[in-house]
Amino acid sequence: MIDVDGYVAVLGVERPAAPTADALWALHRAQVERVAYETLDNQLGRPSGIGAAESVARVLRGRGGYCFHLNGAFAALLTALGYDVTLHRAGVQDEVEDPEGPGGDHLALTVGLDGERWLVDTGLAGAMYEPLPLREGTYTQGPFTYAMAPSTVVPGGWRFTHDPRGAFTAMVFAPEPVELSSFAAEHERLSTSPESGFVRVLQAQLRDAEGVDVLRGCLLRRIDAAGTYERTVDSADDWYGVLADVFHLNLNDVTAPERADLWHRVRAAHEEWETTGQRATTP
């Protein structure tokens, strides 16, 4: 059991009386607006597990996570509210589909509703604002245009293509249902390996109706219909203010020495990037 009332209170919405389409859309919008895609605990050296209860607890204390946390928690909420939710093995990919299919570095969700299945994904690094139908086509949400198409590699699978200004190119997921526990090994790699982008670079992203805010290290970027605006956050006070005010992250459990050490490492990595002119990328 999870604290459904506490969860919807964090999202700022009423608890739905029934699992309707309107309620699903409202929940999805609220989650991507209020619960950040973020990798802070990896940089602090204390990555959490991805069990549904643990991920819901993260949301309740004002934190986010990446796909395993965000979609794991959201799936638990939707299931508790009576929705028909399926978890899928997925993978973030480049222009050409990997012939081996999705690598399991992403957890995707689908929801069956009114005789149709919908991609429901609050863990796609600031991408989707609302669910998308499993129907081939292009879909505009705010300033971004996405595409859905059947996978060319995985029978019955689907491929989501991000807007060209997005943080990745595409995501492919397989049709078979999986358990959340099947992502444990990949989560271990992503949250602890020195080669993982989630370990190398602090990231935070938050979507809204008009665009997306992105923090990578010390570089804060806003992408919307007007274009892209970016600035370097060059003081610890400003940086922690951005995490709290822009990304709604509660850092009460981070001690003063931990804050100082984290800022020092993030700032040093940013200065190294400025010197070399090379930007680390997500996996």
Side-chain angles (χ1 to χ4, degrees), residues 1 13 17 39 47 49 78 80 83 87 96 102 112-113 128 147 168 170 174 195-196 202 219 231 242-243 262 281:
M1 296 291 292
V13 298
T39 64
L78 295 181
Y83 288 96
L87 282 62
V96 180
L113 193 64
M128 292 166 50
F168 60 93
E195 302 302 315
S196 169
L202 185 137
L219 190 65
R231 70 177 179 93
V242 165
L243 291 177
L262 178 60
T281 58

Side-chain angles (χ1 to χ4, degrees), residues 1-281:
M1 296 291 292
I2 65 168
D3 182 359
V4 174
D5 290 330
Y7 200 144
V8 296
V10 169
L11 299 186
V13 298
E14 295 288 334
R15 178 171 180 158
T20 65
D22 286 346
L24 176 60
W25 264 242
L27 291 163
H28 195 288
R29 290 191 296 263
Q31 171 126 338
V32 299
E33 288 178 344
R34 291 172 177 252
V35 185
Y37 180 100
E38 51 99 353
T39 64
L40 184 62
D41 280 352
N42 293 348
Q43 276 69 44
L44 289 168
R46 56 185 196 195
S48 65
I50 59 170
E54 187 170 357
S55 293
V56 169
R58 289 177 63 90
V59 174
L60 295 181
R61 65 183 175 89
R63 295 293 298 280
Y66 51 90
C67 64
F68 303 140
H69 308 107
L70 299 174
N71 283 340
F74 200 55
L77 173 64
L78 295 181
T79 299
L81 291 171
Y83 288 96
D84 170 21
V85 183
T86 302
L87 282 62
H88 301 268
R89 179 180 179 84
V92 174
Q93 299 188 354
D94 294 324
E95 292 289 345
V96 180
E97 275 200 61
D98 187 333
E100 296 185 2
D105 60 359
H106 184 70
L107 159 65
L109 307 178
T110 61
V111 170
L113 193 64
D114 299 332
E116 188 165 18
R117 292 211 74 83
W118 299 80
L119 175 63
V120 172
D121 203 317
T122 65
L124 267 177
M128 292 166 50
Y129 187 58
E130 297 174 327
L132 291 174
L134 298 192
R135 273 187 270 122
E136 187 167 4
T138 58
Y139 302 90
T140 298
Q141 296 183 351
F144 306 122
T145 299
Y146 311 125
M148 289 291 296
S151 168
T152 61
V153 171
V154 183
W158 284 86
R159 178 178 173 89
F160 165 89
T161 300
H162 204 341
D163 187 273
R165 292 176 293 169
F168 60 93
T169 300
M171 181 274 291
V172 175
F173 67 93
E176 297 82 12
V178 296
E179 298 294 328
L180 187 56
S181 58
S182 68
F183 295 95
E186 188 63 10
H187 168 61
E188 175 75 12
R189 182 186 74 83
L190 290 174
S191 62
T192 62
S193 170
E195 302 302 315
S196 169
F198 296 149
V199 173
R200 290 186 284 112
V201 183
L202 185 137
Q203 305 174 50
Q205 300 199 36
L206 204 60
R207 181 73 155 88
D208 58 51
E210 305 300 327
V212 62
D213 293 297
V214 182
L215 179 69
R216 287 180 57 81
C218 294
L219 190 65
L220 177 64
R221 180 181 291 117
R222 170 69 183 179
I223 307 171
D224 56 27
T228 300
Y229 166 80
E230 63 181 41
R231 70 177 179 93
T232 298
V233 183
D234 53 13
S235 75
D237 287 345
D238 189 9
W239 193 74
Y240 280 108
V242 165
L243 291 177
D245 299 337
V246 177
F247 298 100
H248 311 312
L249 293 173
N250 183 336
L251 306 182
N252 289 341
D253 63 340
V254 183
T255 66
E258 287 175 324
R259 286 175 179 244
D261 178 66
L262 178 60
W263 167 249
H264 174 76
R265 288 187 285 109
V266 169
R267 182 63 189 172
H270 179 80
E271 291 174 349
E272 180 180 1
W273 168 73
E274 287 186 318
T275 299
T276 61
Q278 297 176 352
R279 184 170 303 172
T281 58

